[in-house]
Amino acid sequence: MTDGNPERAYHYAVIRRAIEIIDAAWPEPVSLERLAAEMKMSPAHFQRVFSRWVGVSPKRYQQYLALDHARALLRERFTTLETAQAVGLSGSGRLHDLFLRWEAMSPGDYARRGAGLTIRWGWFDSPFGEALAMGTERGLCGLAFAAETGRAAAMEDMTSRWPEARFVEDAAAIAPWVEAAFGLSGEARLHLIGAPFQIKVWEALLAIPSGHVTTYSAIAGAIGQPRAVRAVGTAVGRNPVSWLIPCHRALRKTGGLGGYHWGLPVKRAMLAFESARAEGAAKA
């Protein structure tokens, strides 16, 4: 099942190919005409695809996708998590009009590896390619992106996290939360299933404002474990609800992207998508 908007997945496929072309040419810019020709589109059609997807020109979007964009974000839009948490930059303010409500599973329930839990799942179109969503009666507990890994790997990754749970294909049951997540409106509920340390890291990620970034070391400081940078990186990588828990906003101190569980092209597309939306909102 999809969310009824396959055009978004198509747009991501186009952008993924554009990322590869832009990377191969970097640091030289790629003209609109060349990109359009590579996509087998007219320049006007290619321009419309980009505009519908994120609202900026291909030229401007190229700047967001450039290899040094992460460093620019770190210079210009770095936020310490202590400040973000103090002024309430999370929840409804984090994803524009999306209201995010979350609760975590108790450590005892987590230790049972999902025993007694029914998890419903389905495939959905998203702005970043096909997504696998999973949820309990309390909210979404998993969100994976298959554009780089493929469906089978994404499914195996998600189901292995809670091996004793009962998995039922039922996209309709979780569709409202998924539509809110990718439509950036309405309410998306999360049911976080993780170890206590992981939950602390994921809670810190929720405080990073859209269009901003932080570092793994800043996250470690924010949760009171300044020496646990490596452990924080592992917990970030184990985030089960990518995009809504914005692990893509965690960068290395150098401004490098670091890793991303669902593939670096997806991470770069997410950062570029949010940067473009933030610029558009500032101009509105």
Side-chain angles (χ1 to χ4, degrees), residues 96-110:
H96 306 283
D97 297 327
L98 175 64
F99 180 76
L100 189 65
R101 181 178 310 200
W102 71 275
E103 59 178 295
M105 176 176 282
S106 71
D109 287 338
Y110 170 71

Side-chain angles (χ1 to χ4, degrees), residues 48-70:
R48 285 195 298 271
V49 166
F50 265 78
S51 296
R52 283 198 300 266
W53 193 74
V54 76
V56 297
S57 70
K59 180 178 179 180
R60 184 64 173 146
Y61 195 74
Q62 272 195 72
Q63 295 172 354
Y64 292 134
L65 287 175
L67 295 179
D68 60 352
H69 176 57

Side-chain angles (χ1 to χ4, degrees), residues 91-92 99-103 138-140 187-191:
S92 61
F99 180 76
L100 189 65
R101 181 178 310 200
W102 71 275
E103 59 178 295
R138 298 183 185 180
L140 294 175
E187 178 180 273
R189 295 186 181 182
L190 298 184
H191 186 194

Side-chain angles (χ1 to χ4, degrees), residues 12-280:
Y12 175 72
V14 170
I15 287 166
R16 181 182 181 277
R17 289 168 60 200
I19 291 172
E20 294 173 349
I21 296 166
I22 292 164
D23 281 354
W26 191 84
E28 296 299 322
V30 182
S31 69
L32 171 64
E33 290 73 20
R34 179 185 165 190
L35 281 172
E38 294 277 2
M39 305 299 165
K40 295 181 171 52
M41 298 178 180
S42 70
H45 183 204
F46 183 66
Q47 181 109 346
R48 285 195 298 271
V49 166
F50 265 78
S51 296
R52 283 198 300 266
W53 193 74
V54 76
V56 297
S57 70
K59 180 178 179 180
R60 184 64 173 146
Y61 195 74
Q62 272 195 72
Q63 295 172 354
Y64 292 134
L65 287 175
L67 295 179
D68 60 352
H69 176 57
R71 294 180 180 85
L73 277 177
L74 205 55
R75 290 193 305 268
E76 300 168 9
R77 296 184 186 174
F78 173 77
T79 177
T80 61
L81 293 179
E82 292 88 346
T83 300
Q85 291 166 337
V87 299
L89 292 175
S90 60
S92 61
R94 202 182 51 75
L95 280 174
H96 306 283
D97 297 327
L98 175 64
F99 180 76
L100 189 65
R101 181 178 310 200
W102 71 275
E103 59 178 295
M105 176 176 282
S106 71
D109 287 338
Y110 170 71
R112 286 191 282 273
R113 297 158 56 89
L117 197 65
T118 296
I119 297 178
R120 304 187 185 279
W121 63 271
W123 290 99
F124 296 83
D125 293 318
S126 86
F128 314 106
E130 194 172 37
L132 172 63
M134 294 187 170
T136 70
E137 61 182 9
R138 298 183 185 180
L140 294 175
C141 64
L143 196 58
F145 295 92
E148 303 298 320
T149 65
R151 272 191 170 199
M155 178 64 78
E156 182 180 1
D157 185 297
M158 286 284 102
T159 55
S160 67
R161 295 169 187 249
W162 315 291
E164 303 302 321
R166 173 175 172 258
F167 291 90
V168 178
E169 184 174 7
D170 187 359
I174 57 177
W177 297 327
V178 176
E179 290 168 3
F182 294 130
L184 301 182
S185 63
E187 178 180 273
R189 295 186 181 182
L190 298 184
H191 186 194
L192 302 187
I193 303 175
F197 180 83
Q198 292 174 324
I199 297 293
K200 289 178 68 176
V201 171
W202 301 340
E203 183 178 9
L205 288 170
L206 285 167
I208 306 170
S210 180
H212 292 68
V213 296
T214 191
T215 63
Y216 297 102
S217 57
I219 296 171
I223 65 171
Q225 302 281 344
R227 296 185 178 181
V229 177
R230 187 180 297 273
V232 163
T234 299
V236 169
R238 292 295 293 169
N239 164 28
V241 196
S242 296
W243 176 241
L244 286 178
I245 298 177
C247 51
H248 58 279
R249 298 181 193 155
L251 307 178
R252 292 174 176 164
K253 273 187 175 181
T254 60
L257 286 179
Y260 190 63
H261 197 74
W262 306 114
L264 286 179
V266 176
K267 181 173 186 174
R268 292 180 58 204
M270 287 178 173
L271 289 171
F273 183 89
E274 290 186 330
S275 294
R277 289 182 68 90
E279 180 180 278

